Amino acid sequence: MPLKQLVPSEMTADDIRDWCSVLNDMTAADMPAEPRWRTDRLRDYLVGTLPDDRRFAFLYRDDDGDLIGHASLIMFGGDQAGTGVVEMSTRPSARGHGVGKALLRAVAACAKAEGCRTLSVEVIATTPAVGFYDRVGFKRAVVEQRHLLRWADVDWEKIEQAAGRLAAGYRLEYHAGGVPERLLDTYAGVKANLRANADVAVVPEWRGSAQADRLRDSLATLERRGMRSHIVVALAEPFGHVVGLTELVVAAQRPTRADQYDTVVDPAHRSYGLAMSMKARLLTELRRAEPQLTDVQTWTIETADDVRWINSELGFVHDVDWYDYEADVDKLIERIERDA
């Protein structure tokens, strides 16, 4: 059988090397300006999940044993049991030969067997993946705009000034690698605003948890996956409670690019410029902590005018849209089999 399903911990060193090679071939063809993946800690990246989540890997090799496509399926546990996220890559030279459809058929069958009802996938709008997922029945749920801040173009004087503009009654703290125990409860409470205002069907537990223990697990999972966390929090005096936060990670597998995750301000403390101050402060800390960076990427939904304005002021530039697709597992299987 050319297609093999396994858990990432069972992958060999050759599997890991080939997995990276497929990713980079696809990247070179579809988005040549993107940074390439490295095998450094790639196994950790694939193996690491939250305690209640599960990941399966799918490898498709040709008759000569060369890996020409692969897929990953993460199935969430906890409050989001029944939902999963797919990541799939195919070598450009193998496209049009049914590799992607075979991988997706295997992913959907595994998801159904494990009780997963809904699958989602992120697709870069300028790549051939859009047509593929449209044809197999995925529906576009959300459009996100990716913005890039290129390190060589940063106006550091402007960033330093923005980081220093802080309303009276607040202070900022920077933390590398996680959140101190003394801040976990109020930090998690601010994070809960993500779930309450979610515009997507799947908000991973490490993003929207209002429970300190879940947040602790999520930060530990990022570290196990080789992803260095950088966090700035806004604290309200005199009690030092977290009322705002911004998060970013730098992955060992792509260390020249930072991924901005979430910037959240408690509703009672908005309109004080905290988001701008926190994001600017984080950039100044990154300049010292991650000197190898070449850019930072972040995403916003189309209606988030306030966030886009902040990003623009800091130097972020919109470069491409990303589509969040969703599919019902049963309907997906039916569609794939009907079109087989």
Side-chain angles (χ1 to χ4, degrees), residues 318-333:
H318 175 216
D319 75 326
V320 70
D321 288 347
W322 289 52
Y323 300 152
D324 290 341
Y325 277 100
E326 295 175 0
D328 175 88
V329 170
D330 288 335
K331 292 180 180 178
L332 178 62
I333 292 174

PDB file of all heavy atoms in Angstrom, residues 318-333:
ATOM      1  N   HIS A 318      -0.307  43.984   4.541  1.00  0.00           N
ATOM      2  CA  HIS A 318      -1.141  42.865   4.070  1.00  0.00           C
ATOM      3  C   HIS A 318      -0.526  42.278   2.805  1.00  0.00           C
ATOM      4  O   HIS A 318      -0.293  42.998   1.835  1.00  0.00           O
ATOM      5  CB  HIS A 318      -2.559  43.366   3.795  1.00  0.00           C
ATOM      6  CG  HIS A 318      -3.458  42.329   3.196  1.00  0.00           C
ATOM      7  ND1 HIS A 318      -4.408  42.638   2.249  1.00  0.00           N
ATOM      8  CD2 HIS A 318      -3.544  40.996   3.394  1.00  0.00           C
ATOM      9  CE1 HIS A 318      -5.057  41.540   1.906  1.00  0.00           C
ATOM     10  NE2 HIS A 318      -4.545  40.529   2.579  1.00  0.00           N
ATOM     11  N   ASP A 319      -0.274  40.951   2.817  1.00  0.00           N
ATOM     12  CA  ASP A 319       0.336  40.353   1.628  1.00  0.00           C
ATOM     13  C   ASP A 319      -0.517  39.266   0.986  1.00  0.00           C
ATOM     14  O   ASP A 319      -0.449  39.071  -0.216  1.00  0.00           O
ATOM     15  CB  ASP A 319       1.745  39.815   1.940  1.00  0.00           C
ATOM     16  CG  ASP A 319       1.723  38.524   2.737  1.00  0.00           C
ATOM     17  OD1 ASP A 319       0.819  38.355   3.577  1.00  0.00           O
ATOM     18  OD2 ASP A 319       2.612  37.684   2.526  1.00  0.00           O
ATOM     19  N   VAL A 320      -1.348  38.554   1.757  1.00  0.00           N
ATOM     20  CA  VAL A 320      -2.129  37.470   1.162  1.00  0.00           C
ATOM     21  C   VAL A 320      -3.283  37.123   2.098  1.00  0.00           C
ATOM     22  O   VAL A 320      -3.191  37.318   3.316  1.00  0.00           O
ATOM     23  CB  VAL A 320      -1.232  36.231   0.914  1.00  0.00           C
ATOM     24  CG1 VAL A 320      -0.821  35.561   2.219  1.00  0.00           C
ATOM     25  CG2 VAL A 320      -1.927  35.227  -0.015  1.00  0.00           C
ATOM     26  N   ASP A 321      -4.376  36.624   1.505  1.00  0.00           N
ATOM     27  CA  ASP A 321      -5.509  36.144   2.305  1.00  0.00           C
ATOM     28  C   ASP A 321      -5.374  34.657   2.577  1.00  0.00           C
ATOM     29  O   ASP A 321      -4.796  33.906   1.778  1.00  0.00           O
ATOM     30  CB  ASP A 321      -6.826  36.394   1.574  1.00  0.00           C
ATOM     31  CG  ASP A 321      -7.221  37.859   1.544  1.00  0.00           C
ATOM     32  OD1 ASP A 321      -6.614  38.650   2.292  1.00  0.00           O
ATOM     33  OD2 ASP A 321      -8.125  38.208   0.778  1.00  0.00           O
ATOM     34  N   TRP A 322      -5.923  34.243   3.709  1.00  0.00           N
ATOM     35  CA  TRP A 322      -6.004  32.829   4.080  1.00  0.00           C
ATOM     36  C   TRP A 322      -7.478  32.488   4.259  1.00  0.00           C
ATOM     37  O   TRP A 322      -8.234  33.265   4.846  1.00  0.00           O
ATOM     38  CB  TRP A 322      -5.255  32.547   5.391  1.00  0.00           C
ATOM     39  CG  TRP A 322      -3.763  32.615   5.292  1.00  0.00           C
ATOM     40  CD1 TRP A 322      -3.022  33.641   4.785  1.00  0.00           C
ATOM     41  CD2 TRP A 322      -2.830  31.619   5.713  1.00  0.00           C
ATOM     42  NE1 TRP A 322      -1.692  33.352   4.869  1.00  0.00           N
ATOM     43  CE2 TRP A 322      -1.537  32.115   5.440  1.00  0.00           C
ATOM     44  CE3 TRP A 322      -2.956  30.370   6.302  1.00  0.00           C
ATOM     45  CZ2 TRP A 322      -0.377  31.405   5.726  1.00  0.00           C
ATOM     46  CZ3 TRP A 322      -1.806  29.658   6.600  1.00  0.00           C
ATOM     47  CH2 TRP A 322      -0.538  30.168   6.306  1.00  0.00           C
ATOM     48  N   TYR A 323      -7.883  31.319   3.769  1.00  0.00           N
ATOM     49  CA  TYR A 323      -9.255  30.865   3.911  1.00  0.00           C
ATOM     50  C   TYR A 323      -9.327  29.753   4.951  1.00  0.00           C
ATOM     51  O   TYR A 323      -8.540  28.812   4.919  1.00  0.00           O
ATOM     52  CB  TYR A 323      -9.788  30.315   2.585  1.00  0.00           C
ATOM     53  CG  TYR A 323      -9.802  31.309   1.444  1.00  0.00           C
ATOM     54  CD1 TYR A 323      -9.695  30.867   0.125  1.00  0.00           C
ATOM     55  CD2 TYR A 323      -9.934  32.675   1.670  1.00  0.00           C
ATOM     56  CE1 TYR A 323      -9.711  31.767  -0.927  1.00  0.00           C
ATOM     57  CE2 TYR A 323      -9.948  33.579   0.617  1.00  0.00           C
ATOM     58  CZ  TYR A 323      -9.836  33.111  -0.685  1.00  0.00           C
ATOM     59  OH  TYR A 323      -9.846  34.001  -1.723  1.00  0.00           O
ATOM     60  N   ASP A 324     -10.271  29.891   5.864  1.00  0.00           N
ATOM     61  CA  ASP A 324     -10.577  28.812   6.803  1.00  0.00           C
ATOM     62  C   ASP A 324     -11.754  28.028   6.227  1.00  0.00           C
ATOM     63  O   ASP A 324     -12.864  28.566   6.097  1.00  0.00           O
ATOM     64  CB  ASP A 324     -10.946  29.362   8.179  1.00  0.00           C
ATOM     65  CG  ASP A 324      -9.758  29.972   8.899  1.00  0.00           C
ATOM     66  OD1 ASP A 324      -8.626  29.661   8.514  1.00  0.00           O
ATOM     67  OD2 ASP A 324      -9.972  30.760   9.833  1.00  0.00           O
ATOM     68  N   TYR A 325     -11.503  26.777   5.866  1.00  0.00           N
ATOM     69  CA  TYR A 325     -12.531  25.907   5.290  1.00  0.00           C
ATOM     70  C   TYR A 325     -13.025  24.913   6.343  1.00  0.00           C
ATOM     71  O   TYR A 325     -12.284  24.508   7.237  1.00  0.00           O
ATOM     72  CB  TYR A 325     -11.952  25.103   4.135  1.00  0.00           C
ATOM     73  CG  TYR A 325     -11.906  25.815   2.806  1.00  0.00           C
ATOM     74  CD1 TYR A 325     -10.731  26.394   2.340  1.00  0.00           C
ATOM     75  CD2 TYR A 325     -13.032  25.885   2.001  1.00  0.00           C
ATOM     76  CE1 TYR A 325     -10.675  27.021   1.113  1.00  0.00           C
ATOM     77  CE2 TYR A 325     -12.994  26.522   0.765  1.00  0.00           C
ATOM     78  CZ  TYR A 325     -11.815  27.081   0.329  1.00  0.00           C
ATOM     79  OH  TYR A 325     -11.763  27.713  -0.890  1.00  0.00           O
ATOM     80  N   GLU A 326     -14.276  24.488   6.191  1.00  0.00           N
ATOM     81  CA  GLU A 326     -14.861  23.479   7.070  1.00  0.00           C
ATOM     82  C   GLU A 326     -15.646  22.466   6.240  1.00  0.00           C
ATOM     83  O   GLU A 326     -16.138  22.787   5.162  1.00  0.00           O
ATOM     84  CB  GLU A 326     -15.798  24.116   8.100  1.00  0.00           C
ATOM     85  CG  GLU A 326     -15.108  25.042   9.086  1.00  0.00           C
ATOM     86  CD  GLU A 326     -16.094  25.746   9.998  1.00  0.00           C
ATOM     87  OE1 GLU A 326     -17.313  25.494   9.852  1.00  0.00           O
ATOM     88  OE2 GLU A 326     -15.660  26.544  10.842  1.00  0.00           O
ATOM     89  N   ALA A 327     -15.741  21.241   6.786  1.00  0.00           N
ATOM     90  CA  ALA A 327     -16.532  20.200   6.120  1.00  0.00           C
ATOM     91  C   ALA A 327     -17.087  19.246   7.163  1.00  0.00           C
ATOM     92  O   ALA A 327     -16.408  18.924   8.152  1.00  0.00           O
ATOM     93  CB  ALA A 327     -15.687  19.435   5.108  1.00  0.00           C
ATOM     94  N   ASP A 328     -18.314  18.809   6.935  1.00  0.00           N
ATOM     95  CA  ASP A 328     -18.904  17.729   7.728  1.00  0.00           C
ATOM     96  C   ASP A 328     -18.263  16.418   7.288  1.00  0.00           C
ATOM     97  O   ASP A 328     -18.173  16.138   6.084  1.00  0.00           O
ATOM     98  CB  ASP A 328     -20.418  17.702   7.503  1.00  0.00           C
ATOM     99  CG  ASP A 328     -21.084  16.533   8.190  1.00  0.00           C
ATOM    100  OD1 ASP A 328     -21.445  16.675   9.367  1.00  0.00           O
ATOM    101  OD2 ASP A 328     -21.218  15.476   7.537  1.00  0.00           O
ATOM    102  N   VAL A 329     -17.805  15.619   8.233  1.00  0.00           N
ATOM    103  CA  VAL A 329     -17.040  14.416   7.904  1.00  0.00           C
ATOM    104  C   VAL A 329     -17.861  13.446   7.062  1.00  0.00           C
ATOM    105  O   VAL A 329     -17.385  12.918   6.047  1.00  0.00           O
ATOM    106  CB  VAL A 329     -16.525  13.733   9.188  1.00  0.00           C
ATOM    107  CG1 VAL A 329     -15.931  12.356   8.873  1.00  0.00           C
ATOM    108  CG2 VAL A 329     -15.471  14.607   9.863  1.00  0.00           C
ATOM    109  N   ASP A 330     -19.102  13.179   7.454  1.00  0.00           N
ATOM    110  CA  ASP A 330     -19.927  12.232   6.699  1.00  0.00           C
ATOM    111  C   ASP A 330     -20.154  12.708   5.268  1.00  0.00           C
ATOM    112  O   ASP A 330     -20.051  11.930   4.308  1.00  0.00           O
ATOM    113  CB  ASP A 330     -21.275  12.023   7.395  1.00  0.00           C
ATOM    114  CG  ASP A 330     -21.151  11.216   8.674  1.00  0.00           C
ATOM    115  OD1 ASP A 330     -20.184  10.433   8.789  1.00  0.00           O
ATOM    116  OD2 ASP A 330     -22.006  11.371   9.567  1.00  0.00           O
ATOM    117  N   LYS A 331     -20.455  13.999   5.111  1.00  0.00           N
ATOM    118  CA  LYS A 331     -20.690  14.536   3.773  1.00  0.00           C
ATOM    119  C   LYS A 331     -19.405  14.541   2.946  1.00  0.00           C
ATOM    120  O   LYS A 331     -19.434  14.325   1.729  1.00  0.00           O
ATOM    121  CB  LYS A 331     -21.264  15.942   3.869  1.00  0.00           C
ATOM    122  CG  LYS A 331     -22.675  15.983   4.449  1.00  0.00           C
ATOM    123  CD  LYS A 331     -23.192  17.414   4.515  1.00  0.00           C
ATOM    124  CE  LYS A 331     -24.608  17.444   5.086  1.00  0.00           C
ATOM    125  NZ  LYS A 331     -25.113  18.843   5.211  1.00  0.00           N
ATOM    126  N   LEU A 332     -18.285  14.765   3.613  1.00  0.00           N
ATOM    127  CA  LEU A 332     -17.000  14.749   2.910  1.00  0.00           C
ATOM    128  C   LEU A 332     -16.692  13.360   2.360  1.00  0.00           C
ATOM    129  O   LEU A 332     -16.285  13.213   1.202  1.00  0.00           O
ATOM    130  CB  LEU A 332     -15.887  15.201   3.863  1.00  0.00           C
ATOM    131  CG  LEU A 332     -14.463  15.210   3.312  1.00  0.00           C
ATOM    132  CD1 LEU A 332     -14.348  16.177   2.149  1.00  0.00           C
ATOM    133  CD2 LEU A 332     -13.473  15.575   4.413  1.00  0.00           C
ATOM    134  N   ILE A 333     -16.892  12.344   3.181  1.00  0.00           N
ATOM    135  CA  ILE A 333     -16.658  10.971   2.736  1.00  0.00           C
ATOM    136  C   ILE A 333     -17.571  10.635   1.564  1.00  0.00           C
ATOM    137  O   ILE A 333     -17.150  10.045   0.561  1.00  0.00           O
ATOM    138  CB  ILE A 333     -16.861   9.990   3.896  1.00  0.00           C
ATOM    139  CG1 ILE A 333     -15.762  10.184   4.961  1.00  0.00           C
ATOM    140  CG2 ILE A 333     -16.878   8.549   3.398  1.00  0.00           C
ATOM    141  CD1 ILE A 333     -15.960   9.371   6.209  1.00  0.00           C
TER     142      ILE A 333
END
